[in-house]
Amino acid sequence: MTRAFNWYAGSPLERSAERRKDPDWLAAALAAPATRLVPLWRNRSLIAAAEGPAPRAVLLPLAQRHAWWQPLVSEPPLLLGLVDGVAWFAADFSGVDDPESLAAAAGSGTWVDLRQVGAQMPAGEAAICAYARGLLWWHQRHRFCGVCGRPTLVEEAGHVRRCSDPACAAPHFPRTDPAVIMLVVDGDRCLLGRQPRFLPGVYSTLAGFVEPGESLEEAVAREVFEEAGIEVGRVSYHSSQPWPFPSSLMLGFYAEARTTTIQVDGFELEDARWFARADLQGEGATRLPRPDSIARRLIEDWLAGRRG
Ligand SMILES: [Zn+2]
């Protein structure tokens, strides 16, 4: 099935960056009964019907801000944006030792890794939960200034942390790490590899992080050569996907092979092979990566002749 966007993109949120600097607007939003809160606990999302075919995010109405949960968060909620004029925030409950009682107090839900349920959730909800998870993960790991080592404090409703030492005052911004992911094609066949951590039988596209001082095309060529010993020529962009598990932005490409002899590195990949279309379709086909991944979309679009 063709999708108009990659999973975890396409959030219905209007990010409303100008609101982040407006303390009066933020105070009013935090007091508004309609305002919604996305809770997270140690990088897990609160999900209703997590075991069933249609999991849903459990959101807390912020009218309860001054009720049971307020003492349970150590920092102010972070503004995610607006949906139809209603503000959505995220808050981190990781300091709570008993998450099940927290879920019970919220009314429903269990704490699960979004990756286990995201592909079955409504797409917009999955995208918002992924955004909240990525932003909170960044906050958890930037509590101290990377310049002087002193504590940092939340500013701009969670879109900046600033060093608490006035002599330093360095601002730190939420980051996302670019990674290239590519389907290498040689005529009518494509190159897929296996990492040791994959489920049995699964093969996927190659991928890797972009290094400082490197273009995306150079990163594609380097990763393919390092992992599989294949040289590539023309590289063409396909699409991108936020993958905040914990902090990646996947940039998807097709790459034309210039050489065909595979030599796996034995570290990142334990195997790599050329696959014909018939190997990847129908009965007995090789297992493909998870349906919510851009890797899967790169492969399916190539199989359907929609590449490039
Ligand atoms: Zn500092």
Side-chain angles (χ1 to χ4, degrees), residues 2 24 29 48 105 117 144 149 151 161 198 216 222 226 236:
T2 307
D24 294 338
V117 295
F144 296 91
R161 294 190 75 93
F198 285 1
L216 299 177
R222 176 182 54 76
E226 283 177 4
S236 55

Side-chain angles (χ1 to χ4, degrees), residues 145-152 163-165 168-170 172:
C145 179
V147 180
C148 75
R150 295 204 170 77
T152 57
C163 180
S164 58
D165 181 352
C168 175
H172 303 278

Side-chain angles (χ1 to χ4, degrees), residues 71-233:
L72 304 179
V73 294
S74 58
E75 294 195 326
L78 317 175
L79 178 65
L80 299 175
L82 299 172
V83 180
D84 298 328
V86 172
W88 286 50
F89 290 81
D92 188 358
F93 290 89
S94 295
V96 173
D97 288 328
D98 180 9
E100 297 317 319
S101 70
L102 186 56
S108 66
T110 50
W111 298 98
V112 299
D113 186 334
L114 185 62
R115 285 173 294 187
Q116 293 172 4
V117 295
Q120 284 80 49
M121 291 170 64
E125 244 173 51
I128 292 173
C129 288
Y131 171 26
R133 175 178 161 145
L135 188 57
L136 281 171
W137 188 89
W138 175 80
H139 278 273
Q140 289 164 8
R141 278 154 185 77
H142 291 81
R143 298 202 181 283
F144 296 91
C145 179
V147 180
C148 75
R150 295 204 170 77
T152 57
L153 297 171
V154 172
E155 285 189 0
E156 297 191 21
H159 295 269
V160 178
R161 294 190 75 93
R162 190 178 296 279
C163 180
S164 58
D165 181 352
C168 175
H172 303 278
F173 300 95
R175 57 174 293 167
T176 187
D177 301 323
V180 289
I181 183 162
M182 47 276 168
L183 186 67
V184 179
V185 174
D186 174 45
D188 233 16
R189 56 185 191 162
C190 71
L191 178 73
L192 300 178
R194 250 197 77 71
Q195 295 180 20
R197 64 179 177 85
F198 285 1
L199 291 172
V202 171
Y203 279 75
S204 186
T205 54
L206 309 190
F209 286 107
V210 180
E211 295 187 347
E214 188 174 52
S215 72
L216 299 177
E217 298 86 339
E218 288 166 340
V220 168
R222 176 182 54 76
E223 284 289 343
V224 173
F225 187 75
E226 283 177 4
E227 294 186 9
I230 299 289
E231 294 178 28
V232 300

